[in-house]
Amino acid sequence: MKTIVLSIVLIIPLLALGDEADMSTSIQEVKKQHEASFLDMPGVVSVGIGLDPNGHQAIIVGLDGSHPETKAKIPAILEDFPVVIQIVGPLKAQ
Amino acid sequence: MADDLNTIRGILKSNRQNLFKRANVVATGVGYKETGGARTSTLCIVCSVKKKVDAGQLAGQDFVPSAVAGIPTDVVQTGVIRALQAPTDRFRPAPGGVSVGHVAITAGTLGCWVTKNGQKVILSNNHVLANSNDAEIGDSILQPGPFDAGSFPQDHFANLTQFVPISFEGEPSQCQFANGVIAVFNAGCRVINSNTRYKVAKVQAEDNLVDAAIATPLDPADVKDEILNIGPIQGTVEGELGMAIKKSGRTTGFTTGQIQQVDVSANVQYGAGQIALFTDQLLAGAMSQGGDSGSAVLDENNRLTGLLFAGSDTTTIINRIENVFSALGISL
């Protein structure tokens, strides 16, 4: 009986921790979930994590030129994280 | 004063040849005479010498007179004066930051010296040392690279030791299962007398972490374990957002920048329309051009943080050094 009570007491905090981790998805996870679909859009050559003009962590989508149709498809915010579009140019092995 | 200067210039011009005949003289010019380490206001003819020698040890004709046509002289020890070497020159021993390349490529940059199995080897990109997978272990590496007039065998400097293959989009698949399925399918095609055959190609390439290779020098005496215009490496450090960085490369020499993005996934073009997807990269602003590939990237304290391999006019893409070290089994 003692063992069971002790186990329950130990398990509860673990469950609580698990819940918390589910609540806030990290920017790395959000980026990972969406980067393949970004990279499939015409002109997108990179997806990374940087800072927006206000200094907040942001998902940075890099284009190889101006692609208005692609820009229109990229949301400004993705699961609470800002998305910034940058023209990084065609990336070539140097 | 201007008259004095012009007069002295005239006198120097007519005596220059005579001064250069003297042993150890490497340069002549007009300057202020120094006495006891302090500059005086007296203009004089300055003779720079490889080494200052006591008058008693010099033959008479080698001695720089205390005055030439009434103008005092000063003798200053400068050592041998050499032309500053460009990164595209031949270097023996060779530091990081200079031109290097597989015999079949143009030229890239020798990043730095690292250790593999207790031996010093050069680190650069696969596309610099291993011709983007199109090379055999043991192939010749030239310093400088072929584009910088490096030729075989005169400039044969190292041999390719190891490279991390780059996975390109649309390459023949290495997947045994898919190839097995297609082999059965093609057998079926044969049975029904169809002339059609299928092969498996990757639609999406596997992720690449690094574009990296190493080569072993022919002569251990050619190792200069530092980086041109930077100096010795002081350990390694993980690249972080906002970190100030620098590199020394074959084309743009010494440049600085800042890590603007981390955790970058990027599609990079290689010649002949090949594209490779790289993940877990660092991204910086403009700090490189073609030929800088392979440059070692360091932080402000000369700690190694990355291996430069790609970019555009505005952007530089860098492998994390920890990924490079683990992929090749190397250390500093």
Side-chain angles (χ1 to χ4, degrees):
Chain A
M1 187 61 188
K2 226 182 200 176
T3 327
I4 293 167
V5 171
L6 196 63
S7 304
I8 289 169
V9 169
L10 280 172
I11 284 167
I12 288 167
L14 283 175
L15 288 174
L17 273 176
D19 272 356
E20 227 166 80
D22 279 349
M23 298 263 296
S24 65
T25 318
S26 72
I27 189 166
Q28 286 83 3
E29 286 169 318
V30 174
K31 173 196 157 275
K32 204 172 177 181
Q33 279 165 24
H34 293 88
E35 73 178 11
S37 62
F38 283 142
L39 285 166
D40 277 345
M41 294 178 182
V44 174
V45 292
S46 70
V47 182
I49 294 171
L51 300 177
D52 73 2
N54 303 318
H56 299 127
Q57 281 215 321
I59 295 167
I60 317 279
V61 179
L63 301 180
D64 64 3
S66 63
H67 288 267
E69 73 294 350
T70 294
K71 278 183 185 168
K73 278 188 276 179
I74 297 173
I77 291 172
L78 209 52
E79 298 180 41
D80 290 343
F81 295 107
V83 179
V84 176
I85 300 170
Q86 259 178 24
I87 295 180
V88 296
L91 302 174
K92 294 178 182 169
Q94 294 186 326
Chain B
M1 179 65 81
D3 283 350
D4 282 358
L5 184 59
N6 283 332
T7 311
I8 298 173
R9 280 167 128 175
I11 291 168
L12 173 58
K13 199 174 176 186
S14 50
N15 287 276
R16 188 160 48 210
Q17 268 194 317
N18 182 289
L19 288 168
F20 266 111
K21 281 181 193 153
R22 292 157 204 265
N24 292 329
V25 173
V26 291
T28 60
V30 178
Y32 291 105
K33 190 170 172 66
E34 280 189 15
T35 305
R39 201 183 85 174
T40 67
S41 58
T42 310
L43 279 170
C44 72
I45 290 173
V46 182
C47 289
S48 302
V49 295
K50 272 184 269 187
K51 194 170 188 290
K52 260 190 166 174
V53 181
D54 285 343
Q57 293 175 311
L58 274 178
Q61 73 270 21
D62 285 332
F63 189 70
V64 175
S66 59
V68 174
I71 305 300
T73 63
D74 205 356
V75 177
V76 178
Q77 181 172 314
T78 53
V80 178
I81 297 174
R82 288 192 185 87
L84 287 174
Q85 275 189 288
T88 48
D89 287 345
R90 182 190 155 98
F91 285 78
R92 296 293 184 277
V98 303
S99 171
V100 80
H102 182 275
V103 281
I105 72 145
T106 51
T109 296
L110 192 172
C112 61
W113 291 93
V114 293
T115 306
K116 171 84 182 181
N117 298 333
Q119 194 178 9
K120 281 288 171 193
V121 295
I122 59 172
L123 172 64
S124 185
N125 296 136
N126 171 330
H127 80 267
V128 173
L129 298 181
N131 193 22
S132 306
N133 300 347
D134 195 7
E136 302 286 335
I137 300 305
D139 277 3
S140 302
I141 306 299
L142 309 181
Q143 196 293 308
F147 188 81
D148 297 320
S151 61
F152 184 87
Q154 301 91 308
D155 301 303
H156 183 197
F157 170 69
N159 290 329
L160 178 63
T161 307
Q162 187 185 354
F163 64 93
V164 182
I166 300 167
S167 170
F168 294 104
E169 266 179 37
E171 274 185 324
S173 174
Q174 304 296 318
C175 174
Q176 287 185 355
F177 175 73
N179 285 326
V181 169
I182 285 297
V184 171
F185 199 73
N186 283 337
C189 290
R190 257 175 241 120
V191 169
I192 60 166
N193 270 336
S194 165
N195 286 324
T196 310
R197 299 289 184 272
Y198 297 89
K199 65 179 181 184
V200 182
K202 286 182 224 169
V203 176
Q204 184 68 58
E206 285 132 48
D207 294 2
N208 296 283
L209 287 175
V210 300
D211 176 347
I214 50 175
T216 308
L218 303 184
D219 183 354
D222 289 340
V223 177
K224 189 169 191 187
D225 199 358
E226 60 177 56
I227 298 174
L228 191 67
N229 299 319
I230 288 179
I233 296 174
Q234 309 290 343
T236 60
V237 65
E238 258 187 53
E240 283 174 9
L241 207 52
M243 184 186 274
I245 52 173
K246 60 186 166 190
K247 76 99 184 59
S248 175
R250 176 227 167 248
T251 307
T252 60
F254 178 82
T255 57
T256 59
Q258 192 190 34
I259 297 180
Q260 294 173 352
Q261 291 179 43
V262 295
D263 200 11
V264 176
S265 300
N267 276 324
V268 175
Q269 299 175 21
Y270 283 73
Q274 286 179 301
I275 291 180
L277 175 67
F278 284 80
T279 55
D280 197 19
Q281 303 301 302
L282 305 171
L283 184 149
M287 60 185 288
S288 64
Q289 288 288 334
D292 285 328
S293 264
S295 297
V297 177
L298 299 100
D299 77 347
E300 281 178 316
N301 301 313
N302 288 358
R303 291 179 296 183
L304 185 60
T305 193
L307 183 66
L308 190 157
F309 80 106
S312 68
D313 287 341
T314 58
T315 303
T316 303
I317 311 283
I318 302 160
N319 301 150
R320 284 187 176 276
I321 204 66
E322 51 271 31
N323 291 338
V324 173
F325 277 18
S326 72
L328 289 166
I330 52 175
S331 58
L332 273 182

